[in-house]
Amino acid sequence: MTVKNTSVKNDKLSANGQHGGMPLLHEPKLNKGTAYSVEERRQLGLEGLLPHAVENLDRQVERVMAHLDEKADDLERYTYLIGLEDRNETVFYKTVMSDPKRFIPVLYDPTVADACETFGNNYRRARGMYITRYMKGRMAEVLRNWPEKDVRFICVSTGGRILGLGDIGANGMGIPIGKLQLYTACAAVPPAGLLPVLFDIGTTNETLRADPFYMGTREAPVSEAELDELTEEFIQAVQEVFPNCCVHFEDWKGTDAIRMLDRYKDKILCYNDDIQGTASVALAGIAAGMNITGGKLTEQRVMFLGAGSAGLGIAKLFCAELQTLGLSEAEARKQVALFDINGLIEHSRTDLSDTQKLYARPAKPCKDFLKAIEEFKPTVLIGVSTKARAFTREVIELMSKLNEQPIIFALSNPTHKAECSAEEAYSWSKGKALFAAGVQFPDFEYEGKTYRPGQANNFYIYPAIGLATYACRPTRLNDECFIVAAHATADQVTLTQRAKGMLFPSQEQILETEVTTAARIAEYMFDSGLAQVERPRDIRAWLEAQLYKPQY
């Protein structure tokens, strides 16, 4: 794959009014470290500031790999890599892009959960921006403090619902940082235009508020009305300061997440990865399952354990897909059932949100999950509950009795929150289940056959959405963009991979996968009139010409 180098060059130093010497070695976007040539060291005032040896980028990466091998666990590797990015962005991305299967779980889930829990204790350097209620009336002014003026993506979180950790406030900053790193690591979106933002509205977590090392505001969260007012100012400030920017909402509290997406999706370029990205990757897994079983998507009945923003988002996109295949809205919703802590989502319940009411079934109240499964007879079971081991042996055995090849998704993160493990799904189903989780479980052998569990993680979707958005500059991102992304991902699961029960492509060639998906999304953007740039003759080649490549 041919990609261009979009790294910042040192020959721009004079034009930018910057100088060489020691400050250059502390600028991660520009720093080459020991790769500076003898002549560059003379010209840039670096003589004597570096060891004598001149190394190439590959040798620098070798040293990094050796350091990583010495670390005791992935949290230590995460900390090391974050420090590396602070010193030399090129070496950082060269390293993580050289082996994405190894480094995705280090930079993101599940390691990032541990990193977020200790964020304040391990804080070393500001990364991204922190917006608080005390900036009310001045948010545009504050955003202008960011040195990069052509910001193309802002990933913004309140820290209100981080993975399975709940409300961790400002400690949630690790999520926007990690999400944006994967834009580049998985889909080669140029990193210069990526801005992580922690929207610090306070936290309900009293333990954190009492922690002397906590980095956020120490108040309870603002009211819903004040949050809406602050968010509106933030959104308008982004439109003013970064007019080409896509806002990526991430890990807001469920009700806030749904409300903000509904409010802004038709007004600005934005999306919510917890809702739309999760829905798209789940739809990809179901579509890949149909490629294995030969079933029809319109005949699938999907039951959710969990009825928050993730479950509702998957249900919405699944129903939207069924409608494109000819079902009415009412017929599509009949194919979905949701079950939460208070039981089946059905018409008699008075505790439902407006969105939940759309999926309320005309059924009797039921608080027995097994009974609900037996009555609904789902072909697909999706866990988004954060309730560990909720998919018991009885649940898996019942799904296996109802279906020749049940699709079981235990999507809750981190690992200890998963509804079941791969080993449990395969052994209890006697090898019948098509299984995926939000984290990567190891291969499992059952009766002489090796099964490779899928990882239904959003990194298959949102970086490709990001690349297509970066290149096409669409006016909006609609549901169809995420449906296209889902099918493009499912179509890349090979026959050999399907034979192992795989529902998602291999991570070894994640860049190739993401560019292929992005090309399909871009084609849809051009066909539908969403794109704001001229359509190229060869969309794939055009995308490849815009990819970031870590090199000096």
Side-chain angles (χ1 to χ4, degrees):
M1 184 182 299
T2 302
V3 294
K4 74 173 184 178
N5 176 21
T6 55
S7 300
V8 181
K9 294 291 188 179
N10 289 321
D11 57 15
K12 293 182 179 179
L13 285 172
S14 298
N16 291 341
Q18 300 182 42
H19 302 286
M22 189 62 77
L24 179 57
L25 299 180
H26 293 287
E27 175 47 61
K29 293 182 183 297
L30 300 174
N31 182 26
K32 293 167 60 174
T34 56
Y36 284 110
S37 68
V38 172
E39 185 59 30
E40 285 175 322
R41 298 180 189 201
R42 289 173 181 163
Q43 292 180 355
L44 296 171
L46 297 174
E47 285 187 297
L49 302 181
L50 293 164
H52 173 73
V54 175
E55 300 180 312
N56 60 25
L57 181 56
D58 289 338
R59 179 54 53 83
Q60 291 177 313
V61 171
E62 286 179 27
R63 180 177 290 106
V64 168
M65 293 294 196
H67 290 169
L68 290 168
D69 288 341
E70 294 172 354
K71 302 302 178 185
D73 54 37
D74 278 350
L75 183 57
E76 285 193 12
R77 294 182 187 97
Y78 172 91
T79 302
Y80 176 86
L81 286 170
I82 292 298
L84 174 63
E85 189 181 16
D86 287 339
R87 300 189 302 275
N88 188 319
E89 183 178 272
T90 304
V91 175
F92 169 80
Y93 279 115
K94 182 71 172 180
T95 300
V96 300
M97 294 173 78
S98 70
D99 191 354
K101 183 178 181 180
R102 175 183 178 184
F103 290 114
I104 287 172
V106 175
L107 283 178
Y108 201 63
D109 195 32
T111 310
V112 74
D114 297 327
C116 284
E117 287 190 292
T118 58
F119 184 84
N121 301 67
N122 295 325
Y123 179 84
R124 288 174 172 79
R125 174 176 174 171
R127 302 184 56 80
M129 299 194 76
Y130 298 79
I131 304 298
T132 74
R133 69 183 80 175
Y134 304 110
M135 299 168 187
K136 185 177 181 180
R138 302 184 296 110
M139 288 191 191
E141 175 188 342
V142 171
L143 288 179
R144 288 192 178 92
N145 290 335
W146 188 249
E148 176 63 46
K149 303 311 175 187
D150 185 23
V151 171
R152 303 293 294 278
F153 292 93
I154 285 176
C155 183
V156 56
S157 177
T158 61
R161 191 197 66 93
I162 298 296
L163 300 171
L165 303 177
D167 182 356
I168 59 171
N171 279 15
M173 184 51 145
I175 298 297
I177 292 170
K179 284 282 184 177
L180 292 177
Q181 287 170 335
L182 294 198
Y183 270 70
T184 304
C186 294
V189 177
L194 309 179
L195 171 56
V197 172
L198 193 286
F199 203 54
D200 188 355
I201 60 169
T203 178
T204 59
N205 193 319
E206 294 183 2
T207 301
L208 281 179
R209 281 155 47 186
D211 184 346
F213 289 112
Y214 179 60
M215 305 297 292
T217 58
R218 295 178 183 272
E219 298 90 359
V222 297
S223 66
E224 183 176 298
E226 187 175 356
L227 174 60
D228 289 355
E229 188 176 341
L230 290 169
T231 303
E232 175 65 17
E233 182 185 347
F234 173 74
I235 292 296
Q236 294 307 319
V238 170
Q239 307 312 299
E240 177 184 339
V241 180
F242 307 121
N244 296 317
C245 184
C246 175
V247 177
H248 167 165
F249 292 103
E250 184 70 34
D251 286 337
W252 291 49
K253 188 176 69 176
T255 53
D256 294 337
I258 294 171
R259 190 173 72 258
M260 295 307 174
L261 181 61
D262 288 344
R263 177 170 299 164
Y264 292 110
K265 64 184 176 64
D266 296 323
K267 295 180 181 179
I268 67 166
L269 181 61
C270 70
Y271 73 101
N272 185 301
D273 184 52
D274 303 301
I275 298 173
Q276 293 163 293
T278 301
S280 184
V281 79
L283 181 58
I286 296 172
M290 297 304 96
N291 290 336
I292 294 173
T293 66
K296 296 181 180 179
L297 205 61
T298 53
E299 297 173 349
Q300 305 313 301
R301 296 179 302 280
V302 183
M303 172 162 271
F304 296 87
L305 182 62
S309 59
L312 292 168
I314 300 170
K316 180 177 183 292
L317 196 68
F318 176 69
C319 290
E321 169 76 331
L322 295 187
Q323 290 175 70
T324 67
L325 297 174
L327 272 63
S328 69
E329 185 175 12
E331 289 171 334
R333 287 178 181 163
K334 287 181 181 178
Q335 302 295 99
V336 169
L338 296 102
F339 195 100
D340 68 3
I341 192 171
N342 293 317
L344 182 69
I345 302 295
E346 42 81 18
H347 285 166
S348 73
R349 284 182 53 174
T350 59
D351 61 337
L352 303 180
S353 68
D354 289 341
T355 308
Q356 290 172 327
K357 289 176 183 177
L358 298 174
Y359 303 96
R361 298 186 61 76
K364 295 179 181 179
C366 178
K367 293 192 176 183
D368 185 330
F369 188 45
L370 271 174
K371 184 178 180 181
I373 293 174
E374 193 164 21
E375 292 184 353
F376 182 61
K377 295 179 172 55
T379 59
V380 181
L381 186 62
I382 299 179
V384 282
S385 66
T386 70
K387 185 178 179 182
R389 300 299 182 262
F391 291 171
T392 62
R393 182 179 193 128
E394 291 77 15
V395 167
I396 302 298
E397 288 179 343
L398 178 56
M399 285 294 295
S400 303
K401 179 181 177 182
L402 294 170
N403 302 280
E404 182 59 34
Q405 287 184 288
I407 296 176
I408 310 290
F409 289 169
L411 302 185
S412 292
N413 290 318
T415 308
H416 66 274
K417 296 282 188 176
E419 285 78 9
C420 70
S421 68
E423 178 179 350
E424 290 165 341
Y426 291 128
S427 59
W428 292 340
S429 70
K430 295 181 168 55
K432 293 171 64 176
L434 297 174
F435 176 80
V439 295
Q440 185 62 61
F441 281 99
D443 290 0
F444 179 72
E445 185 174 322
Y446 180 80
E447 294 189 349
K449 181 178 179 179
T450 299
Y451 295 86
R452 179 162 295 178
Q455 184 177 8
N457 195 293
N458 298 12
F459 64 69
Y460 280 110
I461 301 296
Y462 77 82
I465 290 283
L467 178 58
T469 300
Y470 176 85
C472 295
R473 302 197 180 200
T475 54
R476 300 289 182 268
L477 289 171
N478 58 23
D479 283 346
E480 188 65 25
C481 292
F482 292 90
I483 292 174
V484 170
H487 285 284
T489 302
D491 290 347
Q492 294 181 75
V493 182
T494 66
L495 290 173
T496 301
Q497 292 168 342
R498 293 176 195 173
K500 297 178 180 178
M502 292 176 63
L503 299 174
F504 298 92
S506 172
Q507 295 172 22
E508 283 90 347
Q509 302 298 323
I510 192 68
L511 178 58
E512 183 74 22
T513 300
E514 300 273 4
V515 174
T516 298
T517 299
R520 290 264 293 270
I521 301 167
E523 183 177 15
Y524 166 74
M525 288 176 173
F526 284 113
D527 289 345
S528 63
L530 291 173
Q532 297 187 92
V533 298
E534 184 178 349
R535 183 172 189 143
R537 288 185 179 181
D538 185 332
I539 292 175
R540 174 71 183 233
W542 173 73
L543 280 177
E544 290 180 352
Q546 300 184 64
L547 301 181
Y548 165 82
K549 186 175 183 180
Q551 64 184 24
Y552 295 131

